[in-house]
Amino acid sequence: AQTVTQSQPEMSVQEAETVTLSCTYDTSESDYYLFWYKQPPSRQMILVIRQEAYKQQNATENRFSVNFQKAAKSFSLKISDSQLGDAAMYFCAYRSTSGTYKYIFGTGTRLKVLA
Amino acid sequence: DGGITQSPKYLFRKEGQNVTLSCEQNLNHDAMYWYRQDPGQGLRLIYYSQIVNDFQKGDIAEGYSVSREKKESFPLTVTSAQKNPTAFYLCASSIAPGQGVGEQYFGPGTRLTVT
């Protein structure tokens, strides 16, 4: 069975600095999708970025980028020029491309942004 | 605007009463999901549905029931058999596997308090 691990329960970053959140996963599949979701204090889950495993190029969305290392089964999220609004829980998630409809979520990393 | 609605935002019930949480989507998604989130915790899957009139138990289905009579709707009933029902409940939807990347879209959530 697939698993997703976020080993950092909490991280802090100074405003305007860069921070990297870690995510590792375990799977025997070769094709899958990976996601980072943000959950601010409002508790609305927001998709930050997604990565298709067959694509070698790392996904980028404005200040958010990933470092996808398929062989190492690592999918870290880098937030550049951190803003106060980035403070939230961040969840890493995995989805198989096969028949299962399930998503596997990590336990989350709480990010604090210091002014 | 397409999206997922959950109502109500806050719900209070007395112990021993069943309560139904609403979830509606107009994204034309085949799959719908219910998650439970406890304070400071990740998401735990309660039930999911791949198509109308079909649903499967997730990791913590005991004490919950669902129905999927319409593609747009996936209500969750928290029964009196659920030992610790106070939690934040999130509904989500997605396209079916194989139809694309298929990130999950989430509703705003319902905070259920049972006393």
Side-chain angles (χ1 to χ4, degrees):
Chain A
Q2 296 87 5
T3 59
V4 174
T5 301
Q6 294 180 250
S7 58
Q8 306 154 317
E10 191 169 294
M11 294 279 287
S12 297
V13 62
Q14 206 70 34
E15 198 175 4
E17 296 296 309
T18 296
V19 65
T20 298
L21 308 184
S22 300
C23 173
T24 58
Y25 58 94
D26 188 26
T27 183
S28 59
E29 299 177 327
S30 60
D31 198 15
Y32 46 87
Y33 304 120
L34 296 165
F35 308 93
W36 277 100
Y37 283 91
K38 170 185 177 181
Q39 188 179 41
S42 68
R43 306 194 79 170
Q44 172 75 58
M45 292 282 283
I46 302 163
L47 178 69
V48 175
I49 201 164
R50 63 187 188 191
Q51 176 79 43
E52 293 145 273
Y54 69 87
K55 290 186 177 180
Q56 292 186 345
Q57 186 173 7
N58 289 324
T60 299
E61 288 288 342
N62 300 313
R63 298 183 294 106
F64 299 88
S65 61
V66 298
N67 183 7
F68 173 49
Q69 302 289 329
K70 191 173 183 179
K73 297 179 183 176
S74 173
F75 183 59
S76 59
L77 175 69
K78 186 172 83 170
I79 306 174
S80 304
D81 186 25
S82 296
Q83 301 174 0
L84 294 177
D86 294 334
M89 281 288 285
Y90 286 82
F91 293 97
C92 178
Y94 170 103
R95 185 188 196 186
S96 170
T97 59
S98 67
T100 178
Y101 281 66
K102 282 186 175 183
Y103 293 74
I104 312 299
F105 284 84
T107 52
T109 296
R110 180 172 300 282
L111 178 66
K112 295 184 177 181
V113 180
L114 309 174
Chain B
D1 283 335
I4 300 178
T5 57
Q6 289 186 246
S7 61
K9 190 173 178 66
Y10 298 96
L11 191 54
F12 298 88
R13 279 294 183 271
K14 294 290 187 184
E15 194 172 326
Q17 294 179 336
N18 291 354
V19 60
T20 298
L21 281 60
S22 168
C23 177
E24 304 276 334
Q25 56 101 356
N26 61 2
L27 299 167
N28 199 33
H29 285 168
D30 289 314
M32 296 188 74
Y33 307 77
W34 275 105
Y35 293 94
R36 170 181 172 138
Q37 189 177 30
D38 293 288
Q41 303 296 311
L43 281 67
R44 292 189 289 170
L45 181 64
I46 304 172
Y47 269 98
Y48 65 102
S49 169
Q50 302 175 11
I51 57 172
V52 173
N53 293 323
D54 183 62
F55 46 82
Q56 284 77 41
K57 292 182 179 180
D59 303 317
I60 56 165
E62 186 175 349
Y64 300 97
S65 66
V66 293
S67 63
R68 187 89 186 275
E69 297 178 2
K70 299 186 299 181
K71 187 175 185 178
E72 305 78 22
S73 179
F74 191 42
L76 172 74
T77 297
V78 184
T79 75
S80 57
Q82 168 51 232
K83 295 289 185 278
N84 186 19
T86 294
F88 185 67
Y89 291 88
L90 279 164
C91 180
S93 71
S94 74
I95 59 176
Q99 292 183 353
V101 177
E103 64 266 28
Q104 282 187 311
Y105 292 76
F106 286 85
T110 293
R111 171 67 183 173
L112 173 65
T113 302
V114 177
T115 57

